[in-house]
Amino acid sequence: MDVFIFFIKSMKIALITDTHWGIRNDSNIQHDHIKHFLDSIFFPTLHANGINHIIHLGDLVDRRKYINFMSSKRLREDFLQPAEERGIETHIIQGNHDSYYKDTHEVNALDELVSGRYNHIRTYSVPTLISIDGFPIQLMPWITDSNRDEAMDAINKPKATVLMGHLELNGFTMHRGLISDHGMDRNAFDKFDKVYSGHYHHRSTVGNISYIGAFGEYTWHDYNDPRGFSVLDTETSVLEFIQNPHKMFRIAKYDDVANPEIVEKIQRTDFSKYKDTYVKLVVVNKSNPYAFDLLFDSIYKAGPIDITVIEDPSVLLENEDADEIDEAEDTPTILRKYIDGLTLPLDSGKMKHFMMDIYNEALQVETV
């Protein structure tokens, strides 16, 4: 069922970020999840409320080095062309994943895939002051050595009260349970009334700075952590969050001791929600092999991408939402815990940052 959010008439801007087209080795299922949200909620919400402006806060694509042809096609057909055909003025700033090099903005995905190809879509790789219906906004793309001087000048001598960027700030939550221990000090942005940023996928606000959160679910870190887009009312400064209801990751709990009628319950359950999702089946108590097999088969027949059986329910028992259920198996968590246990001749935070860069580079290697 389509969902629409209605607002009182005033000037509003849709803010999205971290769409990461091409993520998970260019998964078409991931593309389909994004398209479903765009078609059923995002564009209809903009149309229903007369919203004619989009600002994308960086990481339009996932890989820094290249993009798969299919991912490029889906980006164009599912997002860029629909925005263009609707006449929506769209501004896209460069994120770190959009940048080929780490120390310069000169080669980037936005120039190669978007810039100059559309009448209503503009891209930005250097700090730029724009005005939307007379409302000034300082756009701040990913800061590198090549645009740092311009960036610091715009930050220290602001010409707008609102900044929108792709920022790496110290002390903000990147994923739930993981706080950034590197990046710029947030106090550098005290001269702005409001700062809205992409980059960290978890939604959070500290003082005048808000990370608006990623557009969709991409990894198990995102499980049960709301994703979506936001609408900024420039007259009231209210930021309205519209959640993406489409889940990529689901956890099912099996307990035939607490549920003696579990067979009947399984037979009455609609398992279609597990189609095209990653599923963890957490076993709390298993004394009835038939019932467990029935549940597993029912989920399997629904067509998930993957099913993983978790035999250790300890985390789930502590928290029914199972927010941290994947931490024991998550590679970044293993790396961070391992580094915490080492005695190093340098700051452990820098080592974690370095190892995560290597890990993310490894994820960008295409599987043959």
Side-chain angles (χ1 to χ4, degrees):
M1 182 178 67
D2 291 348
V3 178
F4 301 96
I5 308 296
F6 293 90
F7 304 92
I8 299 173
K9 184 69 174 177
S10 60
M11 211 282 280
K12 294 180 172 66
I13 303 169
L15 306 183
I16 66 172
T17 189
D18 293 271
T19 46
H20 288 275
W21 262 277
I23 201 166
R24 302 194 75 90
N25 280 323
D26 305 283
S27 167
N28 260 331
I29 293 176
Q30 187 77 58
H31 292 148
D32 290 341
H33 273 259
I34 294 177
K35 177 176 171 56
H36 191 190
F37 185 36
L38 289 168
D39 290 349
S40 65
I41 297 179
F42 180 75
F43 284 121
T45 299
L46 269 58
H47 175 73
N49 296 280
I51 300 172
N52 298 313
H53 299 277
I54 297 171
I55 298 181
H56 190 299
L57 301 183
D59 284 357
L60 180 71
V61 301
D62 189 57
R63 293 188 181 95
R64 292 192 304 107
K65 299 295 185 181
Y66 59 90
I67 188 167
N68 176 286
F69 287 144
M70 178 57 72
S71 294
S72 178
K73 179 175 183 289
R74 294 299 298 266
L75 165 61
R76 173 172 50 82
E77 292 181 346
D78 298 346
F79 177 62
L80 298 175
Q81 282 184 345
E84 174 75 8
E85 290 166 0
R86 288 168 169 82
I88 300 173
E89 297 298 322
T90 302
H91 307 267
I92 307 174
I93 68 172
Q94 184 176 332
N96 57 308
H97 280 253
D98 303 316
S99 310
Y100 184 84
Y101 296 110
K102 292 185 178 181
D103 56 357
T104 176
H105 66 273
E106 294 300 333
V107 180
N108 64 81
L110 304 187
D111 285 346
E112 302 306 321
L113 299 175
V114 185
S115 182
R117 292 166 172 79
Y118 303 91
N119 293 323
H120 299 284
I121 303 176
R122 283 169 286 281
T123 65
Y124 306 86
S125 57
V126 296
T128 304
L129 183 70
I130 66 170
S131 177
I132 295 179
D133 291 345
F135 184 79
I137 300 172
Q138 177 64 57
L139 297 182
M140 185 62 61
W142 183 249
I143 300 174
T144 66
D145 291 345
S146 62
N147 64 10
R148 191 177 307 279
D149 289 344
E150 294 172 84
M152 296 313 300
D153 186 62
I155 293 169
N156 293 326
K157 302 173 183 178
K159 297 178 180 178
T161 59
V162 172
L163 180 145
M164 298 185 184
H166 197 85
L167 308 172
E168 188 170 56
L169 302 181
N170 188 17
F172 283 82
T173 301
M174 298 186 289
H175 301 283
R176 283 187 305 179
L178 178 60
I179 297 176
S180 173
D181 55 6
H182 56 274
M184 294 179 64
D185 191 313
R186 68 182 179 88
N187 292 328
F189 297 86
D190 282 349
K191 294 179 180 179
F192 294 92
D193 291 343
K194 296 289 184 180
V195 174
Y196 303 103
S197 183
H199 188 48
Y200 299 151
H201 289 192
H202 177 74
R203 293 176 59 244
S204 66
T205 298
V206 178
N208 63 326
I209 300 173
S210 296
Y211 278 90
I212 68 170
F215 196 65
E217 294 183 351
Y218 309 131
T219 73
W220 273 103
H221 273 301
D222 303 333
Y223 173 75
N224 209 30
D225 192 10
R227 296 291 186 259
F229 71 101
S230 297
V231 173
L232 175 66
D233 187 322
T234 60
E235 295 183 6
T236 65
S237 296
V238 171
L239 189 70
E240 185 80 18
F241 175 65
I242 294 89
Q243 186 169 345
N244 184 346
H246 308 304
K247 306 294 183 183
M248 279 291 291
F249 303 90
R250 293 188 177 273
I251 292 178
K253 181 176 72 171
Y254 179 87
D255 187 346
D256 56 27
V257 173
N259 298 280
E261 298 181 354
I262 193 168
V263 172
E264 292 79 7
K265 184 177 180 180
I266 293 171
Q267 292 172 337
R268 295 193 304 267
T269 300
D270 178 7
F271 290 92
S272 61
K273 66 181 180 181
Y274 294 103
K275 179 177 173 55
D276 292 340
T277 66
Y278 294 87
V279 180
K280 288 189 180 296
L281 179 53
V282 181
V283 180
V284 179
N285 291 295
K286 184 173 68 174
S287 60
N288 186 339
Y290 168 75
F292 177 79
D293 289 344
L294 179 62
L295 176 60
F296 186 93
D297 289 345
S298 298
I299 296 175
Y300 179 79
K301 289 177 181 177
I305 303 169
D306 178 71
I307 307 176
T308 302
V309 177
I310 306 296
E311 299 285 355
D312 180 8
S314 58
V315 175
L316 180 60
L317 291 174
E318 295 170 4
N319 183 347
E320 285 297 316
D321 288 334
D323 294 345
E324 307 296 331
I325 193 68
D326 193 54
E327 290 301 301
E329 296 183 338
D330 183 78
T331 301
T333 301
I334 293 173
L335 286 172
R336 287 189 292 270
K337 288 181 177 179
Y338 178 74
I339 294 170
D340 283 337
L342 297 176
T343 301
L344 299 170
L346 73 164
D347 178 62
S348 63
K350 292 182 179 179
M351 177 58 73
K352 291 177 187 177
H353 187 52
F354 174 72
M355 292 302 296
M356 287 308 301
D357 278 347
I358 295 177
Y359 174 70
N360 288 327
E361 288 286 348
L363 291 180
Q364 294 172 13
V365 176
E366 186 170 27
T367 301
V368 179

